[in-house]
Amino acid sequence: MTSNPDMTELNRRQFLIRSAKAGVSVAAACTAGLWFYDAKGPDRSSQPQMQHGLLDFSIENLDKKMSIARGKNRAATLHLAIESLGGIETFIKKDDQVLLKVNAAFASPPILSATTHPQLVSEMVQLCYKAGAARVVVTDNPINDPTSCFALSGIEAAARGSGAEVVYPRDELFRPLTVPNTTLIQNWPVLYDPFEDITKVIGMAPVKDHHRSGASMIMKNWYGLLGGRRNIFHQDIQTIITDLATMVRPSLVVLDGTVSMISNGPTGGSLSDLKETEMMIVSTDQVAADAFGATLLGKTPSQLPFISKAEAAGVGTADYRALNPVEVSV
Amino acid sequence: MNRVTENRSPKQTLLSVVILATLLVIGGSIFLIHYRINPAVLQPGSLLPPAQNMPASLPPTSAEAIMQLPPGLVPLTPSETFESHNLSDKINGKAELYLSAGFNRLISQRLTDGHTDDIWFEVLVYDMGTGQNAFSVFSAQRREDAQPLGLTQYSYRTSNAIFLVHGPYYMEIIASNASEQIMKSMQTLAEYFIRENRTETITIAEEQLFPEKDKVANSTSLIASDAFGYDHLNQIYTAEYTMDGNRLMAYLSHRGSSEEANKLASAYRDFLVNFGGKSIDAELIITDALVVEILDTYEIIFPCGPYLAGVREAANLEQATILASQLFNKIKEVIGDF
């Protein structure tokens, strides 16, 4: 029988030598690690400061509410829907600083309904001032060139014409943000500074078909707060919408289903992509608003995965009927 | 007693070298990655896309060469060019439709005719590489109220827009409002574009393989990828049919060989079964036909020579069988025995 070299026994001296060598190796590795370790991290003295947390502007002690106003005239349905929830004073108080997050994604005219309708922006700004708001800001980080988008969509003229301040996205307004309990919004640049000193946030979006996500409504509209190469999120669009809804807790949302883009969204292009659905949805629950909006596109909420995902994340309820929505007609 | 070093086998030595080399590679990689800080966080200057998207690599006159304007039209904005990496900066979530269909480049510009007050229009020319690719994005977005224009083999208008395929180009001209006056100017631009950019007329040969009986006019489409939710189904031609008020779809795709077609038919059947479909036995004249009942509709999948073909979304098995038989016979009639 031949002896196995692996089974050769060590004597005491060899064992001690080997142990010493192993100890030196471990100590060398630790020293190298310590040498590379940078407790301060990269110098960011000139960089925006990392932010953590939510953009939470939900109104304390206010039950979830929803109103659905039927009619063709946006101004009339907006007023009626808000009135049916107790009036604008329920949501906006004296000296509030209000931010309207509109959808100004494309440099397209209002008639194509790819962006928030300027009449709606104008009415909302006036309502806020009527309630005593000290300042109203309108902002978005559009897909196309911001100047063209705000101008051609009519949003800039409508906002300024009614006394609001329009904030274009600029580099220095973005900050890296990490949102707890989200998958994708980790250390990602977000249009953050316009929210400084803001006390109320209102999300305003049209009802649209969307080639990737199935629909673009209130929750998808927060996408316009992202900076960087955000198009990578299209690969996981349902998750990013859920994350965005987790990130922003608005005071109120206005979902414009007066005319819905039922096909070829989110850009559309032809008037035949649109359908007069004649609904204005106002709610404090963005998930419920989108769940109802889905029906205007001929879909059920369960056909849009981001709705159930947002509900599971605790953002709101997909069962909009549970809110006993007030239904009114002009 | 032997020294331990003398007892090392060549295998052990080799293994040790491999392990040490692997550790060195890992260490080196970590060292290099250490310097690649998240640019989104530390380079705020790059947070926003540039307003102008003309890539430096393009010849400076290429956009103008394609987008020549007829007399009377006035540019409102400079032309913009978008490529695969920044197409979503222009059309956001719809970019995937174009990218999956072979998109090369988009040139867009806003124009006015100087006569129609307050109305402007935007022209978008998508270079899709081939006529088939252009047809794919054209057919995927065909509007229900489309009025054929006759400018090219595939062209139509709606109340405010013109859509057409010209060689490898898919063109959209979209007005900011509905106006017959501006529509005339848009049509002039389309005609000028077709005249100035001569290309071969595209042929969608698969259109002839669909039976005409019960077929909905202008319903032929090409799905470039991920057809019916199955990622192995690409380059699928579809056509809509109406039978006794029920809508159903026929489809076909050239797969290169009958073996490939056979394999894909089985794989697609398995995909449907995995998603809750029920494979059922049915008497059909088509050899190797597979029948699946799913979500209260019927699907028939079959290979036909090098073609994968089938019927889906049929409200009942009888109608599915009739259409599948018609499709099978038509393919055989056109391509002959196989």
Side-chain angles (χ1 to χ4, degrees):
Chain A
M1 191 173 171
T2 55
S3 65
N4 184 344
D6 292 342
M7 301 298 288
T8 305
E9 288 184 8
L10 299 175
N11 61 28
R12 189 165 175 272
R13 181 184 173 80
Q14 287 169 330
F15 172 76
L16 288 174
I17 291 171
R18 280 196 168 191
S19 298
K21 283 180 179 175
V24 169
S25 300
V26 170
C30 291
T31 307
L34 203 61
W35 186 58
F36 281 120
Y37 179 66
D38 179 3
K40 281 168 57 188
D43 179 16
R44 310 209 270 223
S45 54
S46 60
Q47 307 294 342
Q49 195 177 357
M50 166 78 88
Q51 304 294 321
H52 287 268
L54 308 178
L55 299 171
D56 189 352
F57 297 91
S58 56
I59 301 170
E60 280 183 24
N61 304 319
L62 186 67
D63 290 339
K64 295 283 177 109
K65 293 167 178 274
M66 184 168 174
S67 176
I68 303 165
R70 179 188 290 273
K72 288 185 175 185
N73 184 307
R74 287 183 174 86
T77 50
L78 177 69
H79 281 267
L80 190 59
I82 289 178
E83 209 53 47
S84 70
L85 294 180
I88 189 66
E89 294 78 10
T90 307
F91 311 100
I92 306 296
K93 305 292 183 196
K94 190 172 184 301
D95 295 331
D96 264 341
Q97 303 213 33
V98 186
L99 183 144
L100 304 187
K101 167 62 183 74
V102 296
N103 182 338
F106 304 105
S108 71
I111 195 170
L112 294 184
S113 293
T115 48
T116 303
H117 199 280
Q119 185 189 17
L120 205 55
V121 176
S122 175
E123 292 297 329
M124 197 70 235
V125 172
Q126 290 176 54
L127 276 170
C128 291
Y129 280 128
K130 183 186 153 208
R135 175 174 168 244
V136 181
V137 172
V138 175
T139 195
D140 191 18
N141 179 24
I143 303 297
N144 302 161
D145 165 54
T147 311
S148 306
C149 290
F150 275 97
L152 295 177
S153 65
I155 291 173
E156 182 182 21
R160 291 197 200 283
S162 42
E165 176 187 337
V166 177
V167 176
Y168 287 158
R170 303 187 306 275
D171 290 354
E172 61 270 26
L173 300 181
F174 286 80
R175 286 177 191 271
L177 181 69
T178 292
V179 180
N181 304 317
T182 62
T183 307
L184 301 175
I185 308 176
Q186 302 290 319
N187 204 8
W188 194 267
V190 168
L191 185 57
Y192 192 88
D193 280 12
F195 289 89
E196 295 272 321
D197 301 324
I198 292 295
T199 54
K200 298 285 167 57
V201 167
I202 301 176
M204 305 182 73
V207 175
K208 297 198 293 180
D209 167 57
H210 193 280
H211 180 74
R212 288 294 288 183
S213 63
S216 171
M217 297 181 284
I218 293 294
M219 289 192 274
K220 170 69 174 65
N221 187 37
W222 305 123
Y223 199 88
L225 294 176
L226 295 174
R229 291 209 54 80
R230 58 184 170 179
N231 58 340
I232 64 166
F233 293 133
H234 279 138
Q235 303 308 315
D236 196 359
I237 191 93
Q238 305 293 339
T239 301
I240 190 64
I241 296 175
T242 309
D243 283 0
L244 287 164
T246 303
M247 178 179 84
V248 188
R249 301 297 168 93
S251 317
L252 191 69
V253 297
V254 178
L255 180 60
D256 182 6
T258 311
V259 175
S260 299
M261 185 185 291
I262 57 167
S263 59
N264 292 310
T267 52
S270 174
L271 295 177
S272 54
D273 295 326
L274 310 177
K275 182 182 176 186
E276 291 190 1
T277 43
E278 299 180 8
M279 296 284 184
M280 186 69 68
I281 302 100
V282 175
S283 180
T284 52
D285 184 329
Q286 54 180 323
V287 182
D290 277 9
F292 180 79
T295 66
L296 301 180
L297 295 172
K299 299 178 179 184
T300 61
S302 62
Q303 289 176 297
L304 300 173
F306 64 82
I307 291 180
S308 53
K309 284 170 77 104
E311 183 180 44
V315 178
T317 177
D319 181 13
Y320 64 87
R321 291 185 188 86
L323 300 183
N324 295 316
V326 182
E327 296 189 39
V328 288
S329 293
V330 173
Chain B
M1 184 182 238
N2 293 334
R3 287 172 62 87
V4 174
T5 49
E6 289 167 359
N7 290 331
R8 284 185 194 138
S9 71
K11 276 186 183 173
Q12 283 177 314
T13 306
L14 181 65
L15 188 63
S16 305
V17 168
V18 169
I19 291 171
L20 285 172
T22 307
L23 288 171
L24 277 174
V25 168
I26 293 170
S29 303
I30 292 170
F31 186 75
L32 288 175
I33 288 170
H34 172 75
Y35 289 100
R36 295 185 189 168
I37 305 298
N38 182 350
V41 178
L42 294 174
Q43 296 176 24
S46 66
L47 295 180
L48 294 172
Q52 295 299 320
N53 296 283
M54 177 69 81
S57 59
L58 280 176
T61 57
S62 62
E64 289 73 17
I66 290 178
M67 197 84 84
Q68 293 184 59
L69 301 181
L73 293 188
V74 183
L76 277 180
T77 56
S79 66
E80 292 178 286
T81 303
F82 299 87
E83 295 186 314
S84 302
H85 70 278
N86 64 354
L87 180 62
S88 63
D89 292 348
K90 178 67 178 172
I91 59 174
N92 191 17
K94 213 192 270 186
E96 192 58 33
L97 172 70
Y98 290 86
L99 295 172
S100 65
F103 169 84
N104 281 338
R105 184 174 55 169
L106 162 65
I107 296 168
S108 68
Q109 190 166 25
R110 293 185 192 87
L111 308 165
T112 176
D113 64 2
H115 306 302
T116 319
D117 289 344
D118 299 330
I119 302 182
W120 49 271
F121 58 91
E122 183 169 20
V123 55
L124 302 103
V125 179
Y126 295 87
D127 178 356
M128 298 299 299
T130 68
Q132 277 71 19
N133 293 345
F135 176 75
S136 174
V137 293
F138 169 86
S139 60
Q141 302 174 84
R142 190 185 273 126
R143 274 74 181 180
E144 286 195 357
D145 65 339
Q147 300 168 40
L149 266 182
L151 292 173
T152 62
Q153 191 180 359
Y154 301 104
S155 60
Y156 67 86
R157 61 160 285 186
T158 62
S159 62
N160 73 311
I162 289 173
F163 305 91
L164 63 89
V165 174
H166 177 56
Y169 301 112
Y170 169 59
M171 184 182 209
E172 294 183 338
I173 310 177
I174 297 166
S176 64
N177 213 333
S179 150
E180 282 308 310
Q181 173 62 40
I182 203 83
M183 185 58 78
K184 282 180 191 165
S185 300
M186 290 158 58
Q187 198 159 326
T188 301
L189 173 63
E191 288 165 352
Y192 195 81
F193 173 80
I194 293 163
R195 199 163 53 242
E196 295 298 314
N197 293 278
R198 294 195 179 279
T199 66
E200 288 182 15
T201 305
I202 65 160
T203 307
I204 307 295
E206 282 79 357
E207 272 199 305
Q208 297 168 20
L209 300 178
F210 286 108
E212 281 305 314
K213 190 169 185 297
D214 302 321
K215 183 167 176 269
V216 177
N218 297 317
S219 66
T220 309
S221 292
L222 170 58
I223 305 174
S225 63
D226 297 337
F228 320 139
Y230 184 46
D231 57 4
H232 289 89
L233 287 185
N234 59 2
Q235 297 299 311
I236 304 286
Y237 287 87
T238 68
E240 299 283 338
Y241 287 80
T242 307
M243 289 182 171
D244 297 330
N246 293 327
R247 196 96 164 182
L248 61 168
M249 175 191 283
Y251 62 88
L252 55 87
S253 175
H254 193 283
R255 308 311 302 184
S257 70
S258 52
E259 289 76 23
E260 284 297 314
N262 248 313
K263 216 160 78 177
L264 189 55
S266 299
Y268 180 48
R269 187 268 314 271
D270 294 344
F271 168 79
L272 292 175
V273 170
N274 284 340
F275 276 85
K278 194 173 80 177
S279 194
I280 56 177
D281 292 324
E283 294 269 327
L284 296 174
I285 62 161
I286 307 168
T287 321
D288 299 329
L290 305 166
V291 185
V292 176
E293 183 185 357
I294 184 166
L295 299 172
D296 299 325
T297 65
Y298 291 87
E299 297 225 6
I300 298 179
I301 312 148
F302 57 91
C304 187
Y307 284 91
L308 167 78
V311 171
R312 62 194 303 269
E313 296 174 346
N316 58 63
L317 185 56
E318 187 189 354
Q319 290 177 344
T321 305
I322 291 169
L323 183 56
S325 301
Q326 289 172 350
L327 179 61
F328 180 76
N329 291 332
K330 183 73 176 182
I331 296 173
K332 277 189 74 173
E333 177 192 317
V334 175
I335 69 169
D337 286 334
F338 40 82

